[in-house]
Amino acid sequence: CGRDIDTDTDTRGSLQCSVIYSSVKGNTAGITCPSGKTVTGGGCAWLSGGSTTIASANRPDNKNGWYCLIDRAQSISAWAVCCSIS
């Protein structure tokens, strides 16, 4: 190939991540990462009720967490991947 490949190496620490969950009765759920952690991903799960598993909202919220809305669901679960560098 004859080309140099640049690599970006982070020498400032190691990435520490955890997944936190929230299950609720109703069709909306939100979860916020603990202080010192940053949301890097998340998702939703339909647990019961309704006739669809399609999420109307499945996105980061503006509070360092994750927000879910599933139409016609009677209970849902939200999870967030929360990370920090130590």
Side-chain angles (χ1 to χ4, degrees):
C1 295
R3 289 189 256 172
D4 290 332
I5 298 173
D6 290 332
T7 58
D8 185 9
T9 305
D10 185 349
T11 58
R12 291 174 268 176
S14 62
L15 185 64
Q16 303 294 320
C17 295
S18 58
V19 179
I20 57 172
Y21 299 88
S22 173
S23 295
V24 299
K25 290 190 182 284
N27 68 341
T28 62
I31 188 129
T32 302
C33 290
S35 179
K37 300 251 184 183
T38 300
V39 67
T40 60
C44 305
W46 169 75
L47 301 176
S48 68
S51 59
T52 182
T53 59
I54 298 171
S56 300
N58 181 5
R59 59 178 165 70
D61 68 12
N62 59 1
K63 301 175 195 164
N64 194 35
W66 205 262
Y67 173 75
C68 300
L69 167 64
I70 300 177
D71 289 338
R72 297 184 299 275
Q74 293 175 357
S75 60
I76 66 173
S77 181
W79 62 89
V81 181
C82 303
C83 300
S84 64
I85 295 178
S86 61

